[in-house]
Amino acid sequence: AQSVTQPDIHITVSEGASLELRCNYSYGATPYLFWYVQSPGQGLQLLLKYFSGDTLVQGIKGFEAEFKRSQSSFNLRKPSVHWSDAAEYFCAALIYNQGGKLIFGQGTELSVKP
Amino acid sequence: ETGVTQSPTHLIKTRGQQVTLRCSSQSGHNTVSWYQQALGQGPQFIFQYYREEENGRGNFPPRFSGLQFPNYSSELNVNALELDDSALYLCASSVKGLNTEAFFGQGTRLTVV
């Protein structure tokens, strides 16, 4: 069955430190992959996406993600975290042969300490 | 801002009642998907509408139903509400086809008491 796994439920980093949020997917083919961010009580904002081509993709707010087929991973990174980055982050895979539904991971809550 | 708007933003209903949630898709988008996000969970796909027809459904019972209108806006209807239906309901609009991304609205927070 298709699935997306985010192993870390909660991560705390210091402001200015680097960040890596993990995401693994299980799918028969290479899916389209996304990272979304959600502030409390809000909808989802797209940070970046991977469809094909260059495996390192750049997104908004200084985020990037690297697709690694051999590891079935799509980890999100940021070199220097800002306090405003505190939020919930979701990795998602697009399953196109099922009406284009998105399968989401459980999310990783990011806290930023001063 | 994505251009996807949902109404209402918050709603409280009693168990057994029916509820209708509304979504206006982003201009130029012809596909609407609905997701349920329980507290502390990732969003779960309910169904998708394209050309006014259901085009894929997740593992939700028939009391969850929907509509899409000619202007591509959409409604999510839930009958016989249960306490477990309490969640944030998210609408996402997109353009049917490859290499497309979904844009989400702010959601409707439904509380069933």
Side-chain angles (χ1 to χ4, degrees), chain B residues 80-100:
Chain B
L81 283 167
E82 301 177 359
L83 297 179
D84 285 349
D85 295 332
S86 295
L88 181 68
Y89 288 85
L90 296 164
C91 165
S93 77
S94 58
V95 178
K96 195 68 173 175
L98 296 177
N99 295 352
T100 60

Side-chain angles (χ1 to χ4, degrees), chain A residues 14-93:
Chain A
S14 297
E15 190 167 17
S18 64
L19 171 71
E20 182 169 25
L21 302 182
R22 297 184 290 165
C23 172
N24 293 97
Y25 68 89
S26 173
Y27 186 50
T30 300
Y32 299 144
L33 297 164
F34 306 82
W35 274 99
Y36 286 88
V37 61
Q38 185 178 39
S39 297
Q42 300 297 308
L44 301 170
Q45 181 182 23
L46 180 68
L47 287 176
L48 47 77
K49 61 191 177 189
Y50 173 76
F51 289 150
S52 64
D54 194 348
T55 56
L56 184 63
V57 294
Q58 303 295 322
I60 63 171
K61 303 184 180 185
F63 286 93
E64 67 178 26
E66 185 172 12
F67 170 68
K68 292 185 177 180
R69 185 191 308 273
S70 62
Q71 299 176 19
S72 297
S73 69
F74 187 56
N75 294 349
L76 181 72
R77 300 194 295 246
K78 186 169 184 177
S80 178
V81 169
H82 188 261
W83 64 267
S84 61
D85 293 325
E88 188 91 21
Y89 290 80
F90 291 96
C91 180

Side-chain angles (χ1 to χ4, degrees), chain A residues 32 34 36 38 41-46 49 51-52 88 90 94 96 98-107, chain B residues 2 33 35 37 40-43 45 48 55-56 88 90 96-107 109:
Chain A
Y32 299 144
F34 306 82
Y36 286 88
Q38 185 178 39
Q42 300 297 308
L44 301 170
Q45 181 182 23
L46 180 68
K49 61 191 177 189
F51 289 150
S52 64
E88 188 91 21
F90 291 96
L94 180 66
Y96 203 77
Q98 295 182 27
K101 76 175 185 180
L102 286 167
I103 294 181
F104 286 85
Q106 195 161 358
Chain B
T2 63
S33 302
Y35 291 82
Q37 186 180 17
Q41 302 294 317
F45 177 75
Q48 182 183 86
N55 183 52
L88 181 68
L90 296 164
K96 195 68 173 175
L98 296 177
N99 295 352
T100 60
E101 61 200 64
F103 293 92
F104 284 81
Q106 294 292 86
R109 171 70 63 187

Side-chain angles (χ1 to χ4, degrees), chain B:
Chain B
E1 294 251 336
T2 63
V4 180
T5 59
Q6 293 186 241
S7 62
T9 54
H10 295 83
L11 200 54
I12 300 175
K13 288 287 190 178
T14 302
R15 188 171 49 183
Q17 285 188 314
Q18 178 266 343
V19 68
T20 297
L21 310 181
R22 295 178 175 82
C23 172
S24 294
S25 60
Q26 184 161 310
S27 177
H29 285 190
N30 56 15
T31 302
V32 174
S33 302
W34 286 91
Y35 291 82
Q36 180 195 67
Q37 186 180 17
L39 200 62
Q41 302 294 317
Q44 298 289 316
F45 177 75
I46 302 175
F47 44 54
Q48 182 183 86
Y49 276 82
Y50 171 63
R51 290 186 176 177
E52 302 177 50
E53 292 191 358
E54 189 177 289
N55 183 52
R57 189 179 182 93
N59 189 26
F60 281 82
R63 59 188 186 85
F64 285 78
S65 63
L67 286 172
Q68 186 181 33
F69 300 99
N71 66 354
Y72 305 126
S73 66
S74 177
E75 287 182 355
L76 164 66
N77 300 288
V78 187
N79 294 321
L81 283 167
E82 301 177 359
L83 297 179
D84 285 349
D85 295 332
S86 295
L88 181 68
Y89 288 85
L90 296 164
C91 165
S93 77
S94 58
V95 178
K96 195 68 173 175
L98 296 177
N99 295 352
T100 60
E101 61 200 64
F103 293 92
F104 284 81
Q106 294 292 86
T108 294
R109 171 70 63 187
L110 172 65
T111 302
V112 183
V113 298

